[in-house]
Amino acid sequence: MSANVEEKTSWLDRPVLPILKLDLEKTLYWVFIILAIASRFWLLGERAMSHDESLHTFYSWNLYQGGGYSHTPLTHGPFLFHINALIYSFFGADDFTSRISTALFGIVLVALPYVFRRWLGRTGALITSFLILISPSLWYHARYIRDEAYMLVWVMLMAWGIFGYLHDRATKWLYLIAGAAAFAFISMEATFIFVAIFGFFLIAALLIE
């Protein structure tokens, strides 16, 4: 009972904008998301393309122009090229639009700790979100057209599904795990490593149970 009372009277529950039903916790997440939007999109097209980026943009542009897509060992999975071709069809093809997809995924990554509050705690999840926001490495990959930005989100979603399933065994979590894993497999080969890591974790968790 005391734990429940403490949770209800947490400093994170202090109202900030009562008319919008925003407490301090949700307000901080919105601040982080707004800062993520600004930092991920600020001068996004100013930096010159690297060699990897030039390959990814060329094959995406070729698909957008109707040239089709054929997998090559020089690149990773097809997700990057299809999502960028889709963006080109809406906004045209240039250095800025080529990095829109990774910037969007970088913003989603900042927001994702919110769904891990059950396991990280509300304060822990907020700190995680803030650290993702200010991480130079994660910021860099959110502004760089490679597959890492996508993989970070797919792996986080897989982890959410696994923890959720271990918590209540609901079928919806299996769909989330399968969907995130499928998109990860069509994004990058590193998925095999993550599936192995999660697989060993699940085996250990089930053996302990």
Side-chain angles (χ1 to χ4, degrees), residues 140-154:
Y140 173 82
H141 284 293
R143 297 167 56 87
Y144 189 83
I145 179 173
R146 269 182 56 96
D147 301 88
E148 284 80 5
Y150 313 131
M151 285 298 299
L152 289 167
V153 171
W154 304 140

Side-chain angles (χ1 to χ4, degrees), residues 63-115:
L63 176 60
Y64 159 65
Q65 289 291 323
Y69 169 80
S70 179
H71 179 69
T72 168
L74 289 173
T75 60
H76 298 291
F79 178 79
L80 179 152
F81 306 103
H82 285 78
I83 191 172
N84 282 313
L86 178 64
I87 289 173
Y88 292 162
S89 68
F90 284 110
F91 306 108
D94 57 37
D95 289 2
F96 180 89
T97 58
S98 295
R99 295 171 176 141
I100 285 178
S101 62
T102 53
L104 291 174
F105 273 72
I107 295 165
V108 171
L109 187 67
V110 171
L112 271 176
Y114 182 82
V115 302

Side-chain angles (χ1 to χ4, degrees), residues 106-129:
I107 295 165
V108 171
L109 187 67
V110 171
L112 271 176
Y114 182 82
V115 302
F116 286 88
R117 293 175 300 160
R118 176 184 293 168
W119 303 281
L120 297 176
R122 297 169 69 189
T123 303
L126 269 171
I127 293 173
T128 302
S129 180

Side-chain angles (χ1 to χ4, degrees), residues 125-142:
L126 269 171
I127 293 173
T128 302
S129 180
F130 176 71
L131 292 177
I132 292 173
L133 171 67
I134 66 172
S135 167
S137 176
L138 298 181
W139 177 78
Y140 173 82
H141 284 293

Side-chain angles (χ1 to χ4, degrees), residues 6-25:
E6 182 181 354
E7 182 71 17
K8 290 180 180 179
T9 58
S10 169
W11 63 278
L12 294 172
D13 292 314
R14 295 175 183 173
V16 176
L17 292 173
I19 192 172
L20 297 178
K21 297 182 179 180
L22 283 179
D23 54 25
L24 183 58
E25 180 187 22

